[in-house]
Amino acid sequence: MFKTLSGRLSGVFDGLAKRAVLSEADVTEAMREVRLAMLDADVALPVVKDFVNKVREAAVGQEVLESISPGQAVAKIVNDALIEALGGTGVAPLHLGTALPAVIMMVGLQGSGKTTTSGKLALRLKLRERKKVLLASLDTQRPAAQLQLATLAEQAGVASLPIVAHQTPVEIACRALEVSRREGYSVLILDTAGRLSIDTALMEEIRQIRDATNPVETLLVVDAMTGQDAVNTAKSFNEAVGVTGVVMSRMDGDSRGGAALSMKAITGASIKFVGVGEKLDALDEFYPERVAGRILGLGDIAGLVEKAADKLDHEESERLAHRMMAGKFDLNDYAAQIRQINRLGSISGILGMLPGMGKVKEALEEKNLDTSILKRQQAIISSMTKAERRTPSMIKASRKKRIAAGSGTTVQDVNILLKQFEMMSTMMKRLSRFGMEGLIRQGMSAFMAHKAGQDPSKGSPFR
Ligand SMILES: Nc1nc2c(ncn2[C@@H]2O[C@H](COP(=O)(O)OP(=O)(O)O)[C@@H](O)[C@H]2O)c(=O)[nH]1
Ligand SMILES: [Mg+2]
C-alpha cells in the first residue's frame, strides 16, 4: 500500500528539507510533484485539486517560508492535510446507537468483501464488546452466498439466521429483526447482495431493506485494489442509499492507495475499518495519523508498539518505545529490536512500520532474503564491544575489520548495518520534529492498558 506515493512524496520533502531558504516558486514546484504523485496513486482528481490548493495556501504564508526549517514546515502542512483527507485525527467509531438490536447494513459491489467483513465485524463485536451478534445474509442472488455467511458465523462463534428458501431480501431482513428482538440480540449485521456493477435494481433493493430495518450504520465495503473504480462505486452508493462509514478491504494487497485518500471527500463518511487479509481476525481500525505517517515515510511507531503489545516481550517493547521517544536509540536497542522482529516471524510487515526501514523492506522483498540478513546483523552487533554499541560513531576502519572477522562477515556488511542504523536514527529525529510524540504516546497508553490487564474495551472505537 502507498508504496509509490510514499516514495515520491518523501522524495519531494527530502528535497525541500535540505534547503535553508524556500521561495514561493519552490513550493509551487513541489506542489506540482505532489499533484502528479497523487494522481498516479489513483486519488480522485477533485480531491487532489482541493488538497494541493489547501497545502499551497498554507505553505506560502510568511511564517512558513521564513521559518528556520521551511522544508520541515511544509512537510508538516502536508502531513496535516493528509490526515484530514483520511478523515481527521483518531479512529472514526462504529456507532451502535441505543435501539436494540443495532442494525448494521453492509453494502457494496459483488466480490468487494461484504460477507467476509460481516464475519470479521461479528467476531470483533463479540470479542471486544461482548455483544450478542446475529448475522443474516440477504444475498439471494448467488446460491451459495447464504451458506458462506453461515459458515463464517460458525467459525466466529456467533449466530446466523436460519436459511429459509424463496424469501425475498426484505422478507429475510424483517425476519432477522424479529428473531433479534425475540431472542435478545444486541447487534444485527445484514449482509446484502452485491452486483457486478451499480444498477438501479440493486439500489432499490437496498433502499427497501434500509426502510424496513432502519440501520444505525450503513457500511460501504470497497476493494482498495480497484483504484478509481472504488471512488465511483462509493459515489453511487452514497447518492443512492447514504453511507455512514467505509470499510476498505484488501489493504494487504499492493494497491496504490489513492481510494483511501478519496473516500472522505467523496462520501463525507470516514473509513472505519480496513481489511488486511482473508482470515476472520484480519480487520483493523483505521488511524488517519498513522497512515499519513506511513505515506510520508515516517513509519508507524504507534502501530508497532501495539503489535508489540500483542505478540512481544512487553517489558522489552516498552523499554524500546521509551528509548525511541527519547531519541536514545543505540545499537543495543537495534539488536534487541531485531530479536523482537525475529519473534514475530513475518518481518516485512513490521519493517514497514519502522521509520527509515521502508527501503530495507523493499530490498528484502525484492531479494527474498528474509531473516538471514537479520541474523547476520545480529552476529555483527554481537561482535562489537559495549562501548561501540553505545557510540556507533567510534567504529572506524580497524574496528570494522575486527568486527567483520569476529562475526564472519565483511567490512561491507558492517558498513551496511551502520548505514541502516544511521538512517533509522535520522528518521527518528525527523519524526520527533514532526510533533508526533503525542501519537507515540497514544500507542503507548493503549499498550499500558493492555499490559496492566485492564478492560480492553476501554478507549475502544465502539460507542
Ligand atoms: N486479501 C484479502 N482478501 C479479502 C479481504 N476481504 C475479503 N477478501 C476475499 O475476497 C473474496 C470476496 O469476498 P466476499 O466477502 O465473498 O465478497 P462479497 O461478494 O462482497 O460478499 C473472498 O475470497 C475473500 O476471502 C481482505 O481484506 N484481504
Ligand atoms: Mg457476499
Side-chain angles (χ1 to χ4, degrees), residues 161-177:
L161 188 73
I163 298 171
V164 174
H166 310 305
Q167 279 198 317
T168 67
V170 174
E171 283 166 354
I172 303 174
C174 293
R175 182 159 59 89
L177 210 50

Side-chain angles (χ1 to χ4, degrees), residues 222-267:
V222 287
D223 179 350
M225 302 293 281
T226 54
Q228 286 288 351
D229 283 346
V231 173
N232 296 334
T233 306
K235 203 169 165 179
S236 311
F237 270 98
N238 190 48
E239 281 165 7
V241 296
V243 166
T244 60
V246 176
V247 180
M248 296 226 73
S249 66
R250 295 208 185 81
M251 287 284 270
D252 49 318
D254 60 349
S255 86
R256 285 174 280 186
L261 278 160
S262 312
M263 284 302 145
K264 176 81 186 193
I266 300 289
T267 64

Side-chain angles (χ1 to χ4, degrees), residues 330-335 338 376-396 399-407 409-411 413-419 421:
D330 67 14
L331 277 172
N332 280 314
D333 303 313
Y334 188 85
I338 292 177
R376 193 180 325 150
Q377 296 206 339
Q378 233 168 341
I380 295 174
I381 296 174
S382 318
S383 296
M384 295 175 181
T385 64
K386 267 190 195 152
E388 286 166 347
R389 278 179 231 165
R390 227 174 294 123
T391 323
S393 57
M394 72 191 283
I395 305 177
K396 298 276 156 31
R399 287 178 188 267
K400 283 180 189 166
K401 262 192 216 146
R402 194 206 76 236
I403 294 167
S407 57
T409 60
T410 63
V411 169
D413 291 329
V414 178
N415 280 333
I416 291 173
L417 167 84
L418 291 172
K419 182 96 205 132
F421 173 73

